[in-house]
């Protein structure tokens, strides 16, 4: 199912009632998102919203958004869309801590709202919403390391986005530990 499909999200959460959600579903490839900014926003931000609302409505204890260092002062659509995701999560957490989860706006069609969103589900929400930001994870899909390795094997040069750039890396076990923490 798609995170953009409210009905599917509510069905999944109603059936499985997860305690913890690690929300990593996102379009994350910068060039593709620059070409399709509306898709980045719909999938990343709206999909995060719909998934978070389902988690809250069905009693999930904790919702962990996997974000990116590109969300810090974003300079591209992907980073901006992930920053929106973080802001959504922060808003959910603030409303819940204030005891005002029922004030969360609903992004549904009337049909979806009547069929899948019983506002009573938002009465006693206790879901904790948090976000973790990742930089470069060594060996992960889309990591820059294989590109650098290939460029070095071919005698260079190693291309970087800017001569003064600093790249930070973490290992896969470090990334897993961060998410679990």
């Amino acid at each position: 199912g798609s995170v953009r499909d409210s009905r599917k999200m509510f069905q999944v959460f109603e059936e499985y009632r997860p305690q913890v959600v690690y929300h990593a579903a996102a379009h994350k490839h910068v060039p593709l998102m620059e070409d399709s900014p509306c898709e980045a926003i719909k999938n990343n931000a709206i999909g995060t919203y719909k998934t978070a609302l389902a988690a809250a409505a069905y009693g999930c204890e904790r919702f962990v958004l996997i974000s990116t260092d590109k969300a810090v002062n974003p300079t591209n659509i992907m980073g901006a869309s992930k920053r929106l995701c973080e802001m959504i999560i922060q808003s959910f957490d603030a409303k819940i801590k204030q005891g005002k989860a029922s004030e969360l706006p609903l992004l549904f069609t009337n049909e979806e709202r009547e069929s899948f969103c019983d506002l009573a589900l938002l009465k006693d929400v206790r879901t904790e919403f948090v976000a973790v930001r990742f930089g470069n994870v060594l060996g992960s899909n889309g990591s820059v390391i294989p590109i650098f390795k290939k460029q070095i094997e071919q005698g260079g040069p190693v291309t970087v986005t800017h001569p003064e750039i600093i790249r930070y890396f973490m290992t896969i076990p470090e990334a897993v530990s961060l998410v679990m923490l």
Side-chain angles (χ1 to χ4, degrees), residues 111-122:
E111 181 182 318
E112 288 174 327
R113 186 170 163 176
E114 291 170 9
S115 301
F116 295 97
C117 192
D118 179 358
L119 291 178
L121 293 172
L122 297 175

Side-chain angles (χ1 to χ4, degrees), residues 54-94:
Y58 286 99
C60 184
E61 293 172 20
R62 177 175 279 181
F63 184 101
V64 181
L65 170 71
I66 310 299
S67 192
T68 172
D69 59 351
K70 291 176 178 62
V72 181
N73 298 319
T75 59
N76 55 49
I77 294 296
M78 197 280 286
S81 73
K82 292 299 281 183
R83 180 65 186 118
L84 281 171
C85 295
E86 292 176 0
M87 294 168 77
I88 289 164
I89 295 310
Q90 290 169 327
S91 296
F92 268 67
D93 200 60

Side-chain angles (χ1 to χ4, degrees), residues 148 158-167:
F148 287 171
V158 174
T159 57
V160 293
T161 54
H162 190 276
E164 295 180 26
I165 195 165
I166 297 173
R167 285 202 178 252

Side-chain angles (χ1 to χ4, degrees), residues 15 39 46 55 60 70 81 87 93 105-108 115 118 128 131-132 140 146 159 162 172 178:
E15 181 175 350
E39 291 304 311
I46 302 301
C60 184
K70 291 176 178 62
S81 73
M87 294 168 77
D93 200 60
L106 301 178
L107 302 178
F108 298 126
S115 301
D118 179 358
E128 178 184 18
V132 293
S140 67
T159 57
H162 190 276
I172 290 174
L178 174 62

Side-chain angles (χ1 to χ4, degrees), residues 5-180:
D5 182 346
S6 300
R7 292 181 210 188
K8 187 63 173 179
M9 288 297 97
F10 273 79
Q11 287 171 350
V12 167
F13 278 85
E14 184 174 30
E15 181 175 350
Y16 295 102
R17 304 282 176 148
Q19 289 178 282
V20 179
V21 171
Y22 296 99
H23 178 56
H27 291 317
K28 64 178 189 169
H29 297 286
V30 173
L32 290 174
M33 296 304 89
E34 290 299 307
D35 289 341
S36 303
C38 291
E39 291 304 311
I41 299 302
K42 286 190 287 189
N43 193 70
N44 295 0
I46 302 301
T48 293
Y49 180 92
K50 291 182 177 196
T51 307
L53 187 63
Y58 286 99
C60 184
E61 293 172 20
R62 177 175 279 181
F63 184 101
V64 181
L65 170 71
I66 310 299
S67 192
T68 172
D69 59 351
K70 291 176 178 62
V72 181
N73 298 319
T75 59
N76 55 49
I77 294 296
M78 197 280 286
S81 73
K82 292 299 281 183
R83 180 65 186 118
L84 281 171
C85 295
E86 292 176 0
M87 294 168 77
I88 289 164
I89 295 310
Q90 290 169 327
S91 296
F92 268 67
D93 200 60
K95 283 289 186 191
I96 289 166
K97 284 180 177 161
Q98 295 166 2
K100 298 179 179 180
S102 62
E103 293 180 6
L104 291 167
L106 301 178
L107 302 178
F108 298 126
T109 65
N110 287 334
E111 181 182 318
E112 288 174 327
R113 186 170 163 176
E114 291 170 9
S115 301
F116 295 97
C117 192
D118 179 358
L119 291 178
L121 293 172
L122 297 175
K123 186 177 180 197
D124 295 317
V125 175
R126 299 198 193 317
T127 309
E128 178 184 18
F129 288 90
V130 297
V132 293
R133 283 184 178 158
F134 282 83
N136 298 288
V137 179
L138 289 170
S140 67
N141 185 22
S143 171
V144 73
I145 296 300
I147 296 168
F148 287 171
K149 185 177 176 187
K150 184 177 178 182
Q151 290 173 337
I152 291 167
E153 286 171 354
Q154 294 174 347
V158 174
T159 57
V160 293
T161 54
H162 190 276
E164 295 180 26
I165 195 165
I166 297 173
R167 285 202 178 252
Y168 298 95
F169 294 94
M170 65 174 57
T171 64
I172 290 174
E174 288 171 329
V176 170
S177 294
L178 174 62
V179 170
M180 297 304 290

